[in-house]
Amino acid sequence: MAQWEMLQNLDNPFQDQLHQLYSDSLLPVDIRQHLAVWIEDQNWQEAALGNDDSKVNMLFFHFLDQLKYECGRCGQDPECFLLQHNLRKFYRDIQALPQGPTQLAEMIFNLLLEEKRILTQAQRAQLEQGDPALKTPVESQQDEIESRILELKAMMERLVKSISQLKDQQDVFCFRYKIQAQDPHQMRQHQLLQETLNELDRRRKEVLDATKALLGRLTTLIELLLPKLEEWKAQQQKACIGAPQEGGLEQLEKWFTAGAKLLFHLRQLLEELKGLSHLVSYQDDPLTAGVNLRKAQVLELLQRLLHRGFVVETQPCMPQTPHRPLILKTGSKFTIRTRLLVRLQEGNESLTAEVSIDKNPQSQGFRKFNILTSNQKTLTPEKGQSQGLIWDFGYLTLVEQRSGGPGKGCNKGMLGVTEELHIISITVKYTYQGLKEELKTDTLPVVIISNMNQVSIAWASVLWFNLLSSNPQNQQFFSSPPMAPWSLLGPALSWQFSSYVGRGLDPDQLSMLRNKLFGQNSRTEGALLSWADFTKRESPPGKLPFWTWLDKILELVHDHLKDLWNDGRIMGFVSRSKERRLLKKTISGTFLLRFSETSEGGITCSWVEHQDDDKVLINSLQPFTKEVLQSLPLTKIIRHYQLLTEENIPENPLCFLYPRIPRDEAFGCYYQEKVNLEERRKYLKHRLIVVSNRQVDELQQPLELKPEPEAESLELETGLDPLLQQEPCLELEPLLAAGLDLGPPLEPMLEPTLDMVPQGVSEPDLGPELRLEPLPDPASQAVPEPDLPHDLRHLNTEEMEIFRNSMKIEEIMPNGDPLLAGQNIMDEAYVFHSSHFYTDGPLIPSDY
């Protein structure tokens, strides 16, 4: 749609602006409408701003031809008499212009710019009102800034020409003044001199008015740029805590530099006018006071651009925690990057930036720190021209000041070390075209720790501050931390996952977290959470604080469950009550994965069983933590999990991922079974699997490692001694020799076991090489091995007596099996004790 057609559809207030624009213009509005398409197709910008007079003249004569042609067409239609009259009049008027081609190009170019400005304002107003009737493409604020910069450049070109003409007029006056001084009695010369002085005064006033108009437009441009910069800073602050950030500083740098160039150019032109005023001065000279006033206004605008345009582009961050900026550790390197958006530097002037910390008096009572490494960075003109005015500090290190006497410094305030907020400042002495300014910028507050185990709670402080603080320099924020509304906290919790793992939290997951924080009955969006409830109050009582619990889950997902999480295979944040409601409606064998509400970073698997008496059982495994998943991926646990039925027949009850996705279809892409054929000729292949026993009378049976050949076997080559050996990633003998420390005893429950299942040949000859030597303990008693399942009874187990006679589980674990001791059948009584082979936990029968 043509620009003129869009303008005709605007509301009345903007139509009034359009009428006012053309009431003061030489171009009649009916000619603008009649020639709208032709006018908008021409390159008026090149004609107005370029230096090629031939193109300007060519466009001028084309315009005359177009007017003559349209005038002839209108003569054939009596209804176009008025339009024909206006076409003829405008044809004569533009030929009478003193600088016809150039003046016409500048006039139409400025008219088109003003039209675009009015159109942009109207579209923005309609968007703010949510008016759905606007169907045209929306001109962004970026287009308005670009158009204003082009307009200012055109005005600057006209001002340069006017000053050049003023100089010529002043030279004429000086010449005639000398002639009149030689013969003061010639009245004609005196009269001519007076006329020349009047013309000079008029031109000086016109130039001064032009500088005033240009300054007004520059002020408007800066008032558009500074809010855009503040928007970027607000986005950066939210991006530090995980929010997405759109765009960098390149576009702002381009605009700030363009504005600064115009201001410095205007500053030079004002100096020229001041020089002209010194050469020729007279009573009531407009340049005497006017130039100094304009120079002061230009200086103020330049200072605003320079001081506000010096920003921290990259907030302080340690290389080992790139996803958690604003946390610094004493003795560890960190980086900061600053940038001056006004990309103007003298060709022979280097600029040096200096870093300091806690120069603000708000930090009294906090620990004191020094910057250990060099705190200065020099930017040469060569680097400034190639990469911009960027100071990249890559090797800064903090050291805590001693408090006097031996030992480290101390915190004398009431706040904890992770609630102290410190501010790093960067200063640079800027010089350009005689202007000297000391620029200063500050980082967002940082939290300084002395041990990496403080990162989690320090990040909670960073999150809370940048989410709620209205003053980015408020170092006493945690003296009285505000409460957080769920409307802000909910999205911030989702950002933690989207920025670190890849997928954020859906509404159902956020609803579960909200209920955990505020309770089931909290339904209003105005619910508020205190800082203490977020980081210190145990939820549920006796367990972990909310933030510690959530951060451990975030770490678990990033390290071991990232692909499953991003592909939506993990339901994750779902309460046990909702879990039962969901599974109860599905077929037997349907399971889901959720995070434990009581474990420190654990994920559990729950599935449903429909019994013959219509009773519904919901079974859950004890949560798997990072110690388990480091040895056995969750996908392998799900794929090979075995449940022993009453007849000791193993089966995998995990058949369908909720709602009804076959297990291997849901997780098949994560299976990574790699078979080495040469290895399989020599050894029985084995794997670790998780086994649970349903029989109550076998609850006290110890955990077993049962070599159990699979149905498929391999033919061994003649001369090879088949030995049951472990693959390099699972060395059994050192673990058995170490005693298989599975942690302290748990409460008695239905307990799964870890089985070592060999794959391949039946009747393996183990030989003496792999004899398992138990720890000496005369009090140990061997545990009889249960009967083999029906499909494995054809195997010859005589040569497997080494496991029956030599491996005594009591000698390996003299204190008894920790997985079977002291447990109960309470719902999800999850207790984790660190162990290399601890993989899962009890089956939990439901009340359904």
Side-chain angles (χ1 to χ4, degrees), residues 16-29 90 97 103 107-108 110-111 114 117-118 217:
D16 293 341
Q17 293 185 35
L18 189 63
H19 288 304
Q20 181 63 36
L21 175 65
Y22 278 94
S23 64
D24 301 333
S25 172
L26 180 64
L27 176 64
V29 68
F90 185 65
L97 292 174
Q103 198 167 346
M107 178 187 67
I108 297 182
N110 290 331
L111 286 173
E114 284 297 321
R117 182 183 62 81
I118 295 172
R217 294 299 181 92

Side-chain angles (χ1 to χ4, degrees), residues 248-288:
L249 288 171
E250 289 75 15
Q251 186 63 61
L252 280 173
E253 181 185 66
K254 176 183 175 183
W255 292 337
F256 269 68
T257 303
K261 281 183 178 179
L262 290 168
L263 285 170
F264 275 113
H265 193 182
L266 181 58
R267 190 165 176 262
Q268 290 178 337
L269 294 179
L270 290 173
E271 286 290 339
E272 292 182 16
L273 290 177
K274 189 175 182 180
L276 292 177
S277 177
H278 288 162
L279 289 175
V280 176
S281 181
Y282 51 88
Q283 187 177 2
D284 298 329
D285 181 6
L287 296 183
T288 302

Side-chain angles (χ1 to χ4, degrees), residues 552-601:
K552 290 294 182 181
I553 290 175
L554 183 60
E555 180 183 352
L556 180 76
V557 172
H558 178 267
D559 293 345
H560 303 289
L561 306 171
K562 193 171 184 178
D563 291 337
L564 294 176
W565 174 262
N566 289 331
D567 293 340
R569 298 295 184 246
I570 299 174
M571 187 170 292
F573 296 104
V574 56
S575 64
R576 280 174 287 182
S577 59
K578 183 175 181 180
E579 170 195 73
R580 289 188 178 123
R581 290 197 303 270
L582 295 176
L583 291 178
K584 188 178 180 180
K585 302 175 183 178
T586 61
I587 62 174
S588 293
T590 302
F591 67 98
L592 56 80
L593 300 171
R594 68 175 180 86
F595 301 123
S596 170
E597 295 187 57
T598 54
S599 294
E600 188 172 336

Side-chain angles (χ1 to χ4, degrees), residues 556 560-561 564 569-570 591 593-595 603-605 621 623-625 628-641 654 667 670-671 690 839-840:
L556 180 76
H560 303 289
L561 306 171
L564 294 176
R569 298 295 184 246
I570 299 174
F591 67 98
L593 300 171
R594 68 175 180 86
F595 301 123
I603 186 170
T604 186
C605 178
L621 287 173
F624 303 102
T625 57
V628 178
L629 299 181
Q630 285 172 354
S631 301
L632 198 60
L634 184 61
T635 52
K636 287 189 176 182
I637 294 176
I638 294 172
R639 183 184 185 187
H640 301 305
Y641 175 69
L654 309 178
F667 299 98
Y670 309 109
Y671 299 158
V690 179
T839 60
D840 65 335

Side-chain angles (χ1 to χ4, degrees), residues 382-398:
E382 293 77 14
K383 287 186 177 180
Q385 293 175 1
S386 62
Q387 68 183 21
L389 303 188
I390 298 173
W391 292 265
D392 203 343
F393 295 86
Y395 302 99
L396 297 175
T397 305
L398 294 176

Side-chain angles (χ1 to χ4, degrees), residues 294-535:
R294 303 289 183 270
K295 286 181 66 177
Q297 294 172 337
V298 169
L299 179 61
E300 181 185 356
L301 293 178
L302 275 174
Q303 289 174 338
R304 288 177 66 188
L305 268 187
L306 289 170
H307 286 275
R308 299 283 290 278
F310 187 41
V311 297
V312 178
E313 183 176 10
T314 303
Q315 295 292 334
C317 182
M318 295 190 297
Q320 58 267 41
T321 55
H323 62 291
R324 291 191 166 175
L326 304 175
I327 298 177
L328 307 180
K329 178 181 175 295
T330 54
S332 296
K333 294 179 181 178
F334 65 94
T335 62
I336 305 176
R337 171 181 284 190
T338 59
R339 182 193 288 254
L340 180 58
L341 298 179
V342 177
R343 192 173 175 176
L344 299 174
Q345 185 179 7
E346 297 282 12
N348 58 351
E349 189 78 24
S350 296
L351 300 176
T352 300
E354 183 176 351
V355 180
S356 59
I357 184 170
D358 284 341
K359 298 301 183 183
N360 194 323
Q362 288 188 45
S363 63
Q364 292 180 358
F366 290 179
R367 294 166 297 161
K368 300 297 182 180
F369 296 91
N370 293 327
I371 297 177
L372 188 60
T373 49
S374 175
N375 65 334
Q376 291 186 344
K377 190 83 172 181
T378 299
L379 181 67
T380 61
E382 293 77 14
K383 287 186 177 180
Q385 293 175 1
S386 62
Q387 68 183 21
L389 303 188
I390 298 173
W391 292 265
D392 203 343
F393 295 86
Y395 302 99
L396 297 175
T397 305
L398 294 176
V399 61
E400 187 175 353
Q401 292 182 7
R402 297 182 182 273
S403 58
K408 294 184 178 180
C410 63
N411 176 19
K412 299 179 182 179
M414 299 296 294
L415 301 177
V417 294
T418 56
E419 295 178 341
E420 285 186 5
L421 299 178
H422 303 266
I423 292 179
I424 298 175
S425 303
I426 303 95
T427 57
V428 63
K429 293 182 179 179
Y430 181 76
T431 302
Y432 187 74
Q433 291 187 1
L435 178 65
K436 296 182 179 181
E437 293 288 331
E438 182 172 290
L439 311 180
K440 176 178 175 291
T441 186
D442 295 325
T443 67
L444 292 171
V446 300
V447 177
I448 303 176
I449 60 177
S450 57
N451 195 297
M452 292 303 291
N453 61 14
Q454 297 172 308
V455 168
S456 178
I457 188 62
W459 182 246
S461 299
V462 171
L463 176 65
W464 204 260
F465 175 86
N466 290 286
L467 190 65
L468 301 174
S469 177
S470 58
N471 177 14
Q473 305 300 314
N474 182 13
Q475 293 181 257
Q476 296 294 332
F477 175 82
F478 284 103
S479 297
S480 179
M483 302 180 76
W486 177 250
S487 59
L488 292 179
L489 185 58
L493 296 181
S494 182
W495 295 340
Q496 306 312 298
F497 284 82
S498 60
S499 62
Y500 191 41
V501 182
R503 183 173 71 91
L505 303 179
D506 60 36
D508 291 335
Q509 293 166 335
L510 286 172
S511 177
M512 182 269 179
L513 294 179
R514 176 180 172 174
N515 291 336
K516 186 176 179 67
L517 285 170
F518 298 100
Q520 294 284 349
N521 298 326
S522 177
R523 299 297 181 188
T524 61
E525 287 296 329
L528 298 174
L529 186 74
S530 69
W531 167 244
D533 287 344
F534 183 68
T535 58

